[in-house]
Amino acid sequence: MPPFGKVLVANRGEIAVRVMKGIKEMGMKAIGVYSDADKYAVHVKYADEAYNIGKAPALDSYLNIQHIIDAAEKAHADAVHPGYGFLSENASFVEAVEKAGMTFIGPSSEVMNKIKDKLDGKKVANMAGVPTAPGSDGPISSLDEALKLAEKIGYPIMVKAASGGGGVGITRVDNSDQLVDVWERNKRLALQAFGKSDLYMEKYAVNPRHIEFQLIGDKYGGYVVAWERECTIQRRNQKLIEEAPSPALKMEERESMFEPIVKFGQIINYFTMGTFETAFSDATRDFYFLELNKRLQVEHPTTELIFRIDLVKMQILLAAGEHLPFTQEELNRRVRGSAIEYRINAEDPINGFTGNSGFITYYKEPTGPGVRVDSGVDTNSWVPPFYDSLVSKLIVYGESRPRAIEAGIRALNDYKIGGIKTTIELYKWIMRDPDFQEGKFSTSYIAEKTERFVKELRYQEEMRAALAAEIQARGLNRTTQPQRAVIQRSAWKTYGLNSQANVRVMW
């Protein structure tokens, strides 16, 4: 018996399609929503029913709570899945879903209100014994206060927006002059993106890696930690490549985080999926809590592949009141191999990762052993400029990390997208880089290697352009040459000439 009859997916793109697949496999109806810009999008076509929720800008559609609730009521939905981003961690949205008599597939509004922002998360982390970085315990009221605290904890520091995510409003600062430069700018960014300008500061970890832990909990106090994901390959604090498990951690280091993370969940009665983002120092081997993401993560497929579980289906079942189906020990025994995810973004790495909206003129996904693609586009799809640049995710699996890298190189070579620029070519260079292959990297990896990668990509693009021009020129020369007279030969003479040229033709 399916837990719900109809589930509305309050999102778009690849995550909407991914969630809808899980919903349909469980025997339920998948309800989609779309803005004017997404009228012909893949997730709209894939849904059993789809409803327009407003104009192209997200504020008028995917961030409009009342429009989504109206669509859910019109569709007679029993539950709402938020995906990630947009309203997925908005307590007011969860309250609206619950007030309308529907189930929110995620933590309850009560839980959401306990962790409204990163600073709330840091307070609970301290209570639970989850390691936190030195810094402010609350919002910093002024630049003068920030300068005094920075001198106390020592540079470099990270200035962070208390609300939101996605790397917005987060800046590394190495001295007081930089702090003066970024303070007001980050406040404006935070206000524009999240509606709150609160900033706080933390000590910057030495040679940091970005490692996150997957907490899974039911409504009855049962918890497991589905190990971790390495999210260190990023630019401007936005992830590009993720993998599971991390190549940096020893088993005892990994397990040292399980107990405090579970205690965190117990303190606030957390349930369904939650992700603990941490900074991990290769130099000191210390973890520092960054934030709790109260939703499904973009990179969840890597965990699914190494544990052979479906996190979307499990999230739905846990929200419906099911018990956890395994213990920590049972989950640990399921781990196999290594998985890597590549975020295929409509961006131009050669020109500072600028967005590249437009129509996709050709689309061919890679296939074969150990290859999975979660996509929200197809040939003729329009990639609009209004939303995140992610168009699909390529996920590969191997029995070991080197085998996963091999599968990734092959799949990246096989992935063809025409009409827009993407990050695929960049990832090919990263996969061949010895530092990546040996697992030697920090969050500054892309910044440090950008110049070399861009040089290689630009040379590659110039060679392709030169080759295309040469081919076109030769084609034009052929068409301008006078036509040669066609010599008519009998079939017997042709056969005889071929026979003399190659004796194998005769037999």
Side-chain angles (χ1 to χ4, degrees), residues 332-449:
N332 289 348
R333 288 196 292 269
R334 298 177 69 101
V335 179
R336 295 287 187 279
S338 178
I340 304 173
E341 176 181 288
Y342 310 89
R343 299 193 186 195
I344 310 302
N345 296 331
E347 297 173 344
D348 183 4
I350 292 178
N351 294 301
F353 291 92
T354 53
N356 200 245
S357 61
F359 284 95
I360 294 176
T361 57
Y362 181 79
Y363 185 80
K364 184 178 183 295
E365 294 178 354
T367 59
V371 176
R372 164 178 164 180
V373 178
D374 287 8
S375 176
V377 298
D378 206 337
T379 301
N380 298 323
S381 286
W382 182 42
V383 179
F386 309 105
Y387 317 115
D388 188 89
S389 62
L390 181 69
V391 296
S392 69
K393 300 181 309 198
L394 168 62
I395 313 101
V396 296
Y397 172 84
E399 294 179 358
S400 63
R401 187 171 184 268
R403 300 293 81 77
I405 292 173
E406 289 173 1
I409 292 172
R410 192 263 298 172
L412 287 165
N413 284 327
D414 290 348
Y415 208 158
K416 308 298 181 185
I417 303 179
I420 59 170
K421 295 183 182 296
T422 72
T423 46
I424 290 176
E425 294 300 324
L426 171 66
Y427 298 154
K428 292 179 186 179
W429 285 101
I430 293 175
M431 289 301 100
R432 293 192 290 265
D433 181 50
D435 287 339
F436 180 85
Q437 293 180 350
E438 295 171 19
K440 297 178 180 178
F441 45 75
S442 70
T443 52
S444 60
Y445 174 89
I446 293 292
E448 292 169 354
K449 292 180 180 282

Side-chain angles (χ1 to χ4, degrees), residues 191-256:
L191 183 63
Q192 290 167 4
F194 315 121
K196 292 179 66 177
S197 63
D198 291 345
L199 301 180
Y200 70 106
M201 292 191 323
E202 287 182 337
K203 178 70 176 176
Y204 181 77
V206 180
N207 296 325
R209 303 176 82 105
H210 190 138
I211 296 176
E212 62 186 28
F213 291 84
Q214 180 68 70
L215 178 68
I216 308 173
D218 61 28
K219 293 182 176 181
Y220 315 102
Y223 294 97
V224 294
V225 180
W227 290 28
E228 81 287 339
R229 296 181 285 260
E230 175 83 62
C231 307
T232 300
I233 305 298
Q234 51 186 256
R235 50 92 184 160
R236 296 198 291 269
N237 301 308
Q238 293 187 324
K239 303 166 190 173
L240 293 175
I241 299 174
E242 300 102 341
E243 58 182 298
S246 166
L249 297 189
K250 301 172 184 176
M251 192 64 196
E252 58 269 25
E253 291 173 328
R254 174 182 295 118
E255 290 182 325
S256 71

Side-chain angles (χ1 to χ4, degrees), residues 155 171-183 185:
Y155 294 97
T171 307
R172 172 179 167 165
V173 173
D174 294 316
N175 54 58
S176 58
D177 289 339
Q178 286 184 11
L179 181 54
V180 171
D181 289 340
V182 307
W183 188 256
R185 185 187 67 197

Side-chain angles (χ1 to χ4, degrees), residues 131-171:
T132 58
S136 57
D137 294 324
I140 299 174
S141 60
S142 68
L143 176 58
D144 286 341
E145 183 185 344
L147 288 166
K148 290 176 183 177
L149 180 60
E151 289 297 329
K152 181 179 178 181
I153 64 178
Y155 294 97
I157 59 170
M158 294 294 282
V159 176
K160 301 182 176 183
S163 302
V168 178
I170 300 178
T171 307

Side-chain angles (χ1 to χ4, degrees), residues 51-78:
Y51 296 84
N52 183 282
I53 53 171
K55 297 177 182 178
L59 282 172
D60 297 325
S61 51
Y62 298 106
L63 288 173
N64 191 305
I65 293 175
Q66 192 56 54
H67 287 187
I68 293 173
I69 295 298
D70 289 345
E73 290 179 334
K74 190 180 295 183
H76 302 290
D78 306 296

